[in-house]
Amino acid sequence: MSVSRPVPVDLPSSHRAIENLLARYAELVDDGDFAGLGALLEHAVFIGSGDPVSGRDAIEKMFRDMLIVYADGTPRTHHVTTNIAIDVDAAAATASSRSYVTVLQALPGSTLQPIAAGRYHDRFELRAGQWCFVERRARINLVGDVRHHLRAAAGDR
């Protein structure tokens, strides 16, 4: 009787793969690619200021309903993710990360300005040899002028 052994987890490549997931999230939000966000987070629960949301379609809908998108198809934002700390549990094929996020926005006729800052707390699992999000907790601690970013702050335009 053969016993299957878990695939060894390479720590440097795991860290890089997780960093790439963090970067991909920021790119998708800034590109206004909410379907891509749904796909990226399809195995995850997203926990922000509202009720937790999970599943590809629900996450895509949450972002569509929450963010204002401009004529260029984007929210005119730039998410900067810094202070990234990643912990990998190789034996369990899981990982967690903590990071800071600063959201900048530039609108036509306006200067570039920070509109929000906070932290992400994420959990990941290795599935079929690929790291994926299983939880993203977004906690925004500092809020600037988000009237041109969040539908709720803009009176749901």
Side-chain angles (χ1 to χ4, degrees), residues 9-20 86 88 131:
V9 174
D10 176 65
L11 292 179
S13 65
S14 293
H15 280 246
R16 177 60 62 197
I18 290 167
E19 288 172 345
N20 286 341
I86 299 170
V88 176
W131 286 102

Side-chain angles (χ1 to χ4, degrees), residues 7 11 16-17 35 42 52 62-63 71 78 82 85 88-89 97 99 103 108 113-114 119 126 133-134 140:
V7 176
L11 292 179
R16 177 60 62 197
E42 72 179 320
M62 177 194 68
F63 279 97
H78 186 90
T82 61
V88 176
D89 182 339
S97 74
S99 57
V103 183
Q113 63 179 330
R119 300 182 97 185
L126 190 61
F133 279 98
V134 293
I140 300 301

